[in-house]
Amino acid sequence: MSGTSKNGPAKSLTIHQDAQIMIDKAREEGITTVWDRLADQQPQCGYCALGLSCRNCAMGPCRIDPFGEGPQKGVCGADADVIVARNLGRTIAAGSSSHSDHGRDILEAFGDLARGQATGYRIADEGKLRRIAAEVGVVTEHRTVEEVATDLTNVLQEDYGTRRGSLSFVARAPEVRRARWDALGITPRGIDRENVEMLHRTHMGVDNDYVNTLLHALRTGLADGWGGSMIATELSDVMFGTPTPVMSEVNLGVLKTDQVNIAMHGHNPLLSDAICTAAEDPQLVELARSVGAKGINIVGLCCTGNEMLMRRGVPMAGNHLTQELVLITGALEAMVVDYQCIMPSIVDVAKCYHTKIISTSDKAKFTGATHVPFEPEHGAKIAEEIVRIAVEAYPNRNHGRVRIPGQPVKMMGGFSIEAILGALGGTPKPLVDAIAAGSIRGAVAVVGCNNPKLPQDLEHIELTRRLIENDILVLVTGCAAVANGKAGHMVPDAAAMAGPGLRAVCEALGIPPVLHVGSCVDNSRIMVLMAALADYLGVDIDQLPVAGAAPEWYSEKAVAIGAYVVASGVTTVLGVQPPVFGSPHVVGLLANGLESVVGATFVVEPDPAKAALFIRRHIESKRRGLGLSCFEPETLGIDDNESAHTVPVGAAVGA
Ligand code: XCC
Ligand code: SF4
């Protein structure tokens, strides 16, 4: 069945009007979307939802009966604990591998650039190159950029292998944190190594102790956050520029009725940066005019979009659940994809229009799409070819079917840690002072995806709004950033939505209360900031008044992020249940046991009001631990909607 309203009205599926209009258009035109397919999948498998199914070998597949009546062991003898832990470990390895392989692609292109073998790229931030190189032990004085870049490439390549005791950037974590990782045996040694070891351990008959498996799962996550993702972020900054605050726009209204529209979707900035450059090429702009368009309009989706927005201010069409809807506008000449989070369904949806789907990574082909393999050596030329294909599709557009809904919303991006510290005058001191004074209670990273099981963006927006109202600074990445952008939370004027303390700080600095820190690999930036704050205060990360949240997560990458954020000492609230509830032991470890091990835990709370309340209590208890003025956590939440500044006088106690 396609195009029906078996899911209920569009406004129950997404909170945004642009998306609602497109869902209705899809239904009118008989086009199937993610929400229809989710309905078709009901009921989804209960064993899998609990993590209790295993198909790791051919004696299986096996499942454990959660009610204790049916089988309690797989054919090999694995119980619920082992099966749930193994499944979670593999999920984290898949997520970590995705980020890290993206990092490798950037690193290889960076190596090509260092050797003079990449076209269309340059070292955009030589200062950062020399800073990172010196940090990992490369000699930088009296040496050319190329020499330094080549040596840096070699050092970081080794981080992927098996020859290290610890990854290069792990040295950025506070010493106390590193000592804790060492004591637990979870210091990440090699990026690929930890991922491979996780696959090995979860083969039948290897690691049959769920605690041991989960500890390695944390190490696998750490290899992502302080390894692959961090390499992706840092080298992208060196090659494409370290982001600085920039204004842009967001939602489907960024498409133009009279221009060639190209949407860049996926995660890797190598290609999208080259496309942005090609779209300004006078010959291609002239070609667009010759086919009747007024110009070439590049827009972003998901994290490729975040990369372009952070560095170039390129407008953002939407987040994960917008990827089909942008096609349904009928106004897109091409959707150019690299990898990750790209639904195979876009090829089917695009067939209903004139839109070309252009895949570019040999790792990520889509049957029915046009494949233009991207190689950094010929980056500029390939980008031109892709833009040309899009321009040539413009005459096929059926203008009668085009519907571009709504007006774009302004949003600010570009808050790299360098930019945040820059805005603070070069040190964390003003932020620490504001936190110590209590005008800012703490900081929360709201990150992650959309998931069609929840109304699109509702949880992101509700949670963030409650946090900023209570003087908690919010840092956002990935699809959470786009959600907040659409909601108008990411302009300096949004300071008016914040509590009085946060509002005053934002107004003094001219920044929004919700800061766009970048794509999902850029969650590594948040780790760098946490380390800087902890070092400045002389404490460990788990003592900071901070938390993480992934309200609408769906992807394996999000689980890897959660693993390294928690292993780094930041308690993280998930809005969607992970498939672990088939093992009370695993749940107990993740929700409680980890507290004494890494000083942070996972919390599952789908209700954004309750999640906000939990986070506020958590932050106040961390403030108390640091001897800062705090509201007694127990006094919060008598009314879920209350804001800190409305807490009765007397609830606040001095240090
Ligand atoms: Fe993907 Fe990064 Fe999730 Fe969005 S937030 S759906 S992972 S694009 Ni990373
Ligand atoms: Fe079944 Fe064990 Fe094989 Fe998993 S590894 S499929 S539980 S026999």
Side-chain angles (χ1 to χ4, degrees):
M1 243 200 316
S2 68
T4 68
S5 54
K6 60 192 162 190
N7 304 308
K11 63 179 186 312
S12 68
L13 307 182
T14 171
I15 65 170
H16 298 293
Q17 209 186 13
D18 63 336
Q20 291 163 7
I21 292 169
M22 286 303 103
I23 291 170
D24 286 336
K25 185 171 187 276
R27 287 172 176 173
E28 282 159 27
E29 297 185 356
I31 296 170
T32 301
T33 64
V34 62
W35 291 280
D36 302 311
R37 293 187 300 272
L38 176 64
D40 288 343
Q41 285 291 337
Q42 300 309 314
Q44 288 174 306
C45 174
Y47 295 104
C48 291
L50 294 171
L52 286 174
S53 51
C54 180
R55 50 179 178 75
N56 287 8
C57 87
M59 295 190 286
C62 305
R63 72 233 180 283
I64 304 297
D65 180 2
F67 303 109
E69 283 153 24
Q72 295 301 297
K73 298 270 171 84
V75 176
C76 67
D79 61 12
D81 299 340
V82 168
I83 289 176
V84 168
R86 283 197 306 214
N87 289 340
L88 183 64
R90 284 199 168 197
T91 297
I92 290 171
S96 173
S97 298
S98 303
H99 284 145
S100 300
D101 204 44
H102 159 180
R104 186 198 331 268
D105 286 340
I106 305 270
L107 176 57
E108 287 184 346
F110 179 73
D112 288 347
L113 175 62
R115 288 186 298 273
Q117 289 167 359
T119 70
Y121 299 110
R122 64 194 180 93
I123 300 292
D125 190 342
E126 184 180 334
K128 184 155 186 173
L129 167 67
R130 290 186 182 274
R131 208 165 61 240
I132 299 172
E135 188 188 336
V136 302
V138 172
V139 178
T140 58
E141 286 91 51
H142 311 300
R143 297 186 74 205
T144 64
V145 167
E146 290 76 19
E147 287 167 340
V148 172
T150 302
D151 283 5
L152 177 61
T153 304
N154 292 336
V155 171
L156 297 181
Q157 286 280 16
E158 291 229 333
D159 276 350
Y160 278 88
T162 57
R163 296 170 52 181
R164 291 272 173 90
S166 169
L167 304 180
S168 300
F169 291 140
V170 164
R172 292 177 167 185
E175 207 178 324
V176 270
R177 180 62 28 184
R178 280 182 276 136
R180 219 193 257 229
W181 291 339
D182 280 342
L184 288 166
I186 62 168
T187 300
R189 302 155 296 180
I191 298 164
D192 292 340
R193 175 183 188 159
E194 308 310 353
N195 289 311
V196 169
E197 186 171 319
M198 181 50 85
L199 293 182
H200 176 197
R201 285 186 187 225
T202 53
H203 186 280
M204 199 300 276
V206 185
D207 199 354
N208 293 308
D209 180 276
Y210 76 94
V211 177
N212 205 41
T213 305
L214 291 175
L215 282 173
H216 185 70
L218 296 182
R219 175 154 59 180
T220 306
L222 289 170
D224 175 1
W226 299 85
S229 278
M230 206 170 269
I231 289 173
T233 295
E234 297 295 60
L235 293 185
S236 294
D237 283 358
V238 170
M239 288 172 76
F240 308 120
T242 305
T244 53
V246 60
M247 282 306 296
S248 187
E249 298 189 319
V250 59
N251 80 25
L252 290 173
V254 300
L255 298 176
K256 301 268 199 292
T257 46
D258 51 4
Q259 297 197 24
V260 173
N261 291 306
I262 304 176
M264 304 296 306
H265 181 14
H267 283 79
N268 190 320
L270 282 173
L271 166 73
S272 49
D273 196 81
I275 296 267
C276 289
T277 304
E280 287 163 4
D281 180 61
Q283 281 186 347
L284 288 167
V285 174
E286 194 40 52
L287 182 67
R289 297 227 170 89
S290 75
V291 298
K294 291 223 170 87
I296 303 170
N297 182 38
I298 307 286
V299 302
L301 280 168
C302 290
C303 282
T304 283
N306 282 321
E307 298 275 358
M308 297 193 300
L309 188 151
M310 289 285 285
R311 298 200 178 84
R312 292 180 175 248
V314 170
M316 173 68 83
N319 45 2
H320 183 54
L321 289 179
T322 315
Q323 61 183 294
E324 293 174 316
L325 306 181
V326 68
L327 295 165
I328 291 162
T329 62
L332 210 56
E333 273 55 57
M335 180 181 283
V336 184
V337 304
D338 46 77
Y339 41 51
Q340 298 168 14
C341 301
I342 300 153
M343 292 186 197
S345 65
I346 57 166
V347 179
D348 301 327
V349 179
K351 275 191 201 133
C352 306
Y353 303 92
H354 70 301
T355 311
K356 297 275 183 200
I357 301 289
I358 303 173
S359 57
T360 58
S361 167
D362 288 345
K363 301 172 194 183
K365 293 194 178 180
F366 294 70
T367 307
T370 306
H371 189 64
V372 181
F374 181 73
E375 303 141 11
E377 307 90 77
H378 310 111
K381 204 173 129 281
I382 293 166
E384 279 172 32
E385 184 188 337
I386 289 172
V387 173
R388 186 178 299 273
I389 293 173
V391 170
E392 285 168 355
Y394 184 79
N396 301 330
R397 188 194 288 186
N398 179 347
H399 293 269
R401 272 180 82 195
V402 169
R403 174 105 201 251
I404 298 175
Q407 288 298 312
V409 177
K410 295 242 177 295
M411 77 182 281
M412 196 183 223
F415 290 96
S416 59
I417 302 314
E418 288 87 339
I420 293 175
L421 293 179
L424 297 170
T427 84
K429 183 170 188 306
L431 179 57
V432 171
D433 288 350
I435 291 174
S439 43
I440 296 180
R441 312 302 303 171
V444 174
V446 179
V447 308
C449 322
N450 286 146
N451 187 320
K453 293 175 176 174
L454 302 170
Q456 182 191 21
D457 294 350
L458 177 68
E459 309 242 340
H460 286 308
I461 300 317
E462 286 286 306
L463 174 62
T464 303
R465 193 175 54 71
R466 288 176 148 83
L467 295 175
I468 61 175
E469 273 176 10
N470 287 291
D471 291 325
I472 294 167
L473 177 68
V474 174
L475 308 175
V476 286
T477 58
C479 290
V482 183
N484 277 284
K486 284 186 275 184
H489 290 170
M490 289 165 77
V491 286
D493 282 349
M497 305 168 88
L502 177 59
R503 175 178 183 163
V505 172
C506 291
E507 285 176 349
L509 296 172
I511 59 170
V514 181
L515 300 181
H516 193 340
V517 183
S519 63
C520 299
V521 293
D522 292 339
N523 285 314
S524 62
R525 296 190 198 277
I526 296 173
M527 292 295 96
V528 172
L529 179 63
M530 294 302 138
L533 289 175
D535 281 342
Y536 184 84
L537 287 165
V539 300
D540 195 354
I541 293 174
D542 65 333
Q543 293 172 268
L544 298 173
V546 300
E552 300 179 28
W553 74 276
Y554 94 89
S555 93
E556 292 168 309
K557 292 176 290 170
V559 189
I561 294 168
Y564 74 70
V565 170
V566 168
S568 300
V570 179
T571 287
T572 296
V573 183
L574 306 175
V576 177
Q577 260 198 0
V580 297
F581 283 82
S583 165
H585 288 136
V586 170
V587 171
L589 186 72
L590 298 177
N592 292 309
L594 285 180
E595 182 66 45
S596 61
V597 179
V598 293
T601 58
F602 285 97
V603 177
V604 178
E605 181 47 75
D607 177 340
K610 290 186 183 147
L613 182 59
F614 168 82
I615 289 172
R616 290 173 56 206
R617 288 179 173 155
H618 175 76
I619 281 178
E620 294 302 325
S621 72
K622 293 293 176 185
R623 291 182 62 88
R624 177 162 51 195
L626 287 172
L628 302 176
S629 68
C630 67
F631 302 119
E632 285 306 318
E634 313 74 56
T635 66
L636 300 181
I638 295 119
D639 168 4
D640 283 358
N641 288 307
E642 105 220 1
S643 296
H645 44 275
T646 62
V647 166
V649 189
V653 294

